[in-house]
Amino acid sequence: PHGDYVGMAVDLAADLKLSPPAAWREKNLLWLPADIGEHREMVRQQVCEELDEFRRGKHMPSVIIDSLECSQWRFQRSLTSYLSSMSSGTVSGMIHFTAIASNDSSRDILYSEQGLFVPVNNPHQQFDISAYYVFSHNLSNDSLAVFFTDKETKSHRDGLFVPLALQPSPAGWTATAFHQCCADGYQATYTFALKGLQV
């Protein structure tokens, strides 16, 4: 995004197809919203409508994918087991997001997690863990979903894990999702806290 108001106004008018005539623009490198003249009220209405759609989450999947792409994160989580045969413990490591696919219908990024599991009762029996998912932005309906990866290469989208219906929340944008796998149910909450246009 532009760091200046004039540049942002120029881009907004271009997106709304309200730029001044080409002949005028050839003589004027920079221009202000006042230059749209008789379209002023229509622009105000369209800007208000666009802002309302943004507040309801329009373009948010694209913002999230853009922000996460090619980023890396440290993570730490606690795992609590309710089975005596399975140990509780902590997992910590790194998460990498990598662009893997982009076409007319979707943009996909690979979530790659590498970490170390440390059992609470036996910290010397540590072992490496890994997990892979694909975060996918459906361009046709502006939606976000998480998919499993294929078992062989772990680099392509496979079956659906959870769709993410984003809702505004005090912490940012939140999606609550549920995945049923045979007798097991997985409840997850994803929260994307934005600072400007960055997660």
Side-chain angles (χ1 to χ4, degrees), residues 3 5-6 24 31-32 48 76 79 86 89 92 96 106 114 128 139 145 157 166 178 186-188:
Y5 173 71
V6 173
W24 188 93
W31 48 280
L32 299 172
C48 288
Q76 183 170 347
L79 302 178
M86 303 292 289
S92 59
H96 297 267
S106 70
Q114 307 288 332
D128 295 329
L139 301 177
R157 182 172 55 178
L166 296 165
F178 181 80
Y186 298 87
Q187 182 77 42

Side-chain angles (χ1 to χ4, degrees), residues 100-108 136-140 157:
I100 55 173
S102 182
N103 53 49
D104 292 339
S105 61
S106 70
R107 285 183 59 207
D108 294 349
S136 181
H137 175 206
N138 185 318
L139 301 177
S140 62
R157 182 172 55 178

Side-chain angles (χ1 to χ4, degrees), residues 161-164 175-181 183-190:
F161 178 44
V162 286
L164 300 181
T176 300
F178 181 80
H179 177 78
Q180 188 74 45
C181 181
D184 296 330
Y186 298 87
Q187 182 77 42
T189 299
Y190 293 75

Side-chain angles (χ1 to χ4, degrees), residues 34-53:
D35 293 318
I36 59 179
E38 70 275 11
H39 298 298
R40 189 177 296 114
E41 183 57 32
M42 182 173 65
V43 170
R44 188 196 67 78
Q45 181 180 348
Q46 290 186 357
V47 168
C48 288
E49 290 173 357
E50 189 73 14
L51 286 174
D52 285 341
E53 290 184 342

